[in-house]
Amino acid sequence: MSSIGTRATGTFVRLMTCDDLPAVAVLHCSAFPGQLLTLIGPRLIRRFYGQFIILPGSFAFAASRDGLLVGFVAGSTDKNELFRRFYRSNLLWIGLKVIVSPAIWSLMSRNVSGRRSHFKRLLQSLSRKKSEHSDAEQTVTDSRIPNRLMSIAVSEPCRGQGIAEELVDRFCKQLSDEGFEEVGLSVLAKNERAIRFYEKTGWLRELTTDTSIYYYNRTRQG
């Protein structure tokens, strides 16, 4: 797929490649300080985003300017399977990082309920079979929409220039081309900047929990 120009002059959105992963890891750490994946480290961040490049039903796009990555978006039509694969293939490394990192223990102890879904996926990764009840359980605590925009970031100097909107539009167009009519995402309830962005750009609230707000939108506008 060729690059497509965005409203931000000189910036292009294209499929993410493995060559982008080091820069994606750096941007992820900058955009999400204190997040569990950030604390686990760049090696696992690169592995995590690498899945969106190679797994069927997962998609990732990068925004570049003057040859430098300035933003990215990633999502999947099966978030649970993506996490299950990630935890299973990196279980030993994740375990070692958690054991030796006081910062990770502190984060988990401050937000046990918010990490419950990750603990559940981590335990499920130990089994080669999906839980027979995973779909039913997800409808109680999560969105009804399996197609998820899971991560988006834009470098701080390039924010407010329409790059985030173009990344979201490109991701939604990909889902539409694949035949999916809706897409969902979740935002931490304390992330006021992200909440303003999604509500300003037409996303609708689906449900609210103690820790997160869930949004949904049509993949094709108009």
Side-chain angles (χ1 to χ4, degrees), residues 16-72:
M16 185 186 293
T17 70
C18 291
D19 290 339
D20 294 315
L21 294 178
V24 166
V26 171
L27 180 52
H28 176 101
C29 291
S30 174
F32 308 113
Q35 189 194 64
L36 181 60
L37 188 58
T38 300
L39 294 176
I40 289 176
R43 177 178 177 178
L44 283 202
I45 295 174
R46 293 193 296 270
R47 290 187 177 184
F48 178 72
Y49 285 106
Q51 294 185 123
F52 294 96
I53 299 173
I54 63 174
L55 289 182
S58 295
F59 312 101
F61 297 91
S64 60
R65 175 182 292 174
D66 298 328
L68 299 176
L69 183 136
V70 297
F72 66 83

Side-chain angles (χ1 to χ4, degrees), residues 172-185:
C172 288
K173 182 180 184 303
Q174 180 68 43
L175 286 180
S176 178
D177 291 345
E178 298 288 331
F180 300 103
E181 297 182 354
E182 288 185 306
V183 59
L185 59 86

Side-chain angles (χ1 to χ4, degrees), residues 29 59-60 106 109 113 165 200 217:
C29 291
F59 312 101
S106 175
S109 65
S113 61
E165 290 90 332
K200 183 182 75 172
N217 209 343

